[in-house]
Amino acid sequence: MGAAAQIMGAQGTVAATGALLVLCMGLWATGLVAEVVTALLFFAVAMLLKLAPAQTVFSGFASSAFWLVTGGMVVGLAMNRTGLGDRLARMLAARLPASYPGFVAGLVAFSFALAFVMPSNLGRIAVMVPVLIALCDAFGLRAGRPGRTGAILAFGIATPMLSAAILPANVPNLVMAGTAETLYGVHLSYLPYLFLHAPVLGFVKGAILVACTVLIFPDRLDGARPTLPPLPPLSAEERRLSVILAIMLGLWLTDGWHGIAPAWIGLAAAVICLLPGVGVVSAASFSEIPLRTCFYIAALFGLTAVVNETGLGARIGHALLAVAPLEPGAHAKNFATLVGLSIGFLFAGTANGAPALYTALAGEFSAGSGLDLMSVLMVQVVGYSTLFLPYQAPPIVMAMDLAGLTLKDATKLTAVSGLASLIVAVPLAYLWFRLSGRLA
């Protein structure tokens, strides 16, 4: 520690870190200032007060998750600029059932499928919401009809909620993976993660969301499926991008065999997309990437690293363990408690911040519950994918803004689907964890 930290002493360093943690999480949760401003505030205060060495404060920039976010944004931009994302959406429209429940189910399923090839929640929302509005118009769901509201909200909520089952597909997963790597040296693999979470967090939660949408926003489609104009032939850029995405997805699925982390695969795909001649977007297009999100991710990782190094994480963990009913051998109670803690952090720090707080304390939770560290880390995904309010996931707020939907409607669907998930999906997730050997 530096001279400033020595003057403050250990207690002062912990107190200052705690104050910085509350300040940053509060600003990120409330959105009083832009996320990137809070991120820069963390870097500045942590270095001015010398709460930790520079390699700890800026450790987020060395995390693989930081580079996966950056690469994913380039790939998302490429899908948008080449028109491949719009093509996929129009292909979906031709296959949607001519019934309202089927229409909603098709949109939710497409949201899940698109997360495999477009690893950016905000990117998928930006590309798809205008397309969804056109689809609703084509199917007769005009502005003001409940079916239009329900269909767009279902896609908006499915985007962050269901993508939690796919490791590189959303920011909370990357925050969790990056923090686990930074603090514990734990590396997650694509296919085992998908196998553990997709059956419940993908398929069961998707079905719950569809059912809740149809019940809260009942409607019907007017007439048969509309006839859309034929798609133009694939452009050369779309063909090249399709090959790049297919190779990227194939390497992700086989990372357990070749040992290359998903981040470096995604980064390589982004570089190829930007290369002259073989790429699909110009290098100048990189200026369109929202680097503010990348700095936000790096700040989250750095904040958790500082919390851990100063000893604040251990103190918070001990305080929670004193009241949390964790007990070695009581798998069901431990699972429920850990999910509850993850959901509690969700209200305090949003879906992006909750994994950072939880993962920083995972070592303490593992010691208190008797569960191995990987199991403790994986249980939190069940919690932070259970959304109750729109503000907890920025993609939902973005979808509301783009489609002109009200907070009241969005809150109704998130609250009801979150409660239904808590009652139905969480117990099923526990059973699947047991059957798959994760909680043996």
Side-chain angles (χ1 to χ4, degrees):
M1 294 291 179
Q6 291 178 355
I7 292 174
M8 286 193 295
Q11 294 294 333
T13 300
V14 171
T17 303
L20 184 59
L21 173 66
V22 171
L23 175 63
C24 290
M25 286 301 176
L27 291 176
W28 278 325
T30 59
L32 291 177
V33 298
E35 290 177 342
V36 67
V37 175
T38 305
L40 295 175
L41 171 69
F42 158 72
F43 293 131
V45 172
M47 292 306 298
L48 286 172
L49 297 181
K50 297 186 178 180
L51 299 179
Q55 59 265 33
T56 301
V57 174
F58 296 103
S59 59
F61 291 102
S63 169
S64 61
F66 170 84
W67 293 105
L68 184 54
V69 171
T70 305
M73 288 182 174
V74 174
V75 172
L77 175 66
M79 290 192 69
N80 194 13
R81 294 287 288 272
T82 61
L84 185 59
D86 182 60
R87 176 179 293 274
L88 293 174
R90 291 183 62 188
M91 292 171 62
L92 163 72
R95 292 164 175 78
L96 285 173
S99 69
Y100 176 60
F103 181 75
V104 173
L107 294 180
V108 169
F110 183 67
S111 170
F112 185 60
L114 192 59
F116 283 94
V117 295
M118 193 174 183
S120 167
N121 279 341
L122 295 177
R124 293 195 296 278
I125 292 293
V127 169
M128 284 300 300
V129 168
V131 176
L132 293 179
I133 293 173
L135 282 177
C136 287
D137 288 339
F139 277 85
L141 296 175
R142 303 296 178 183
R145 288 187 55 167
R148 182 190 187 96
T149 300
I152 296 175
L153 281 177
F155 185 91
I157 295 171
T159 296
M161 185 172 73
L162 304 190
S163 61
I166 307 167
L167 180 58
N170 70 15
V171 170
N173 289 359
L174 300 180
V175 171
M176 181 264 293
T179 307
E181 178 186 356
T182 300
L183 299 184
Y184 310 113
V186 172
H187 299 276
L188 304 179
S189 297
Y190 186 98
L191 209 53
Y193 182 97
L194 183 68
F195 175 77
L196 180 64
H197 293 299
V200 176
L201 304 191
F203 301 122
V204 173
K205 282 199 170 186
I208 290 172
L209 179 59
V210 171
C212 291
T213 301
V214 173
L215 288 173
I216 297 173
F217 302 103
D219 210 326
R220 62 182 180 83
L221 300 185
D222 297 330
R225 182 190 303 114
T227 301
L228 299 175
L231 289 167
L234 276 170
S235 66
E237 290 80 7
E238 287 178 290
R239 291 181 186 276
R240 291 199 298 272
L241 182 57
S242 297
V243 173
I244 294 170
L245 292 176
I247 295 173
M248 179 184 74
L249 182 58
L251 290 173
W252 275 349
L253 290 171
T254 56
D255 68 340
W257 173 68
H258 54 67
I260 303 174
W264 314 134
I265 297 169
L267 183 59
V271 171
I272 295 172
C273 286
L274 293 167
L275 286 176
V278 299
V280 295
V281 291
S282 66
S285 299
F286 190 80
S287 62
E288 300 176 31
I289 300 299
L291 291 177
R292 60 185 181 275
T293 303
C294 301
F295 272 75
Y296 164 60
I297 296 299
L300 270 175
F301 295 158
L303 178 58
T304 55
V306 171
V307 166
N308 182 69
E309 183 162 318
T310 59
L312 176 62
R315 295 191 182 200
I316 296 174
H318 288 138
L320 287 174
L321 288 174
V323 295
L326 294 174
E327 178 185 341
H331 289 327
K333 184 166 70 171
N334 291 335
F335 186 92
T337 300
L338 293 174
V339 169
L341 289 170
S342 180
I343 291 174
F345 288 136
L346 190 65
F347 282 92
T350 77
N352 292 344
L357 292 172
Y358 180 105
T359 304
L361 304 174
E364 301 292 328
F365 296 156
S366 176
S369 65
L371 298 173
D372 64 278
L373 180 63
M374 182 62 76
S375 295
V376 171
L377 291 172
M378 291 298 96
V379 169
Q380 71 170 306
V381 184
V382 180
Y384 68 64
S385 66
T386 306
L387 304 170
F388 291 90
L389 296 171
Y391 87 88
Q392 293 173 332
I396 300 176
V397 177
M398 183 177 182
M400 289 166 45
D401 291 341
L402 290 176
L405 304 179
T406 67
L407 178 62
K408 179 181 178 181
D409 285 335
T411 301
K412 282 196 296 186
L413 187 52
T414 53
V416 173
S417 61
L419 182 60
S421 295
L422 192 64
I423 296 171
V424 178
V426 171
L428 289 177
Y430 169 73
L431 293 176
W432 180 246
F433 270 56
R434 295 299 301 268
L435 288 174
S436 63
R438 183 70 270 169
L439 293 177

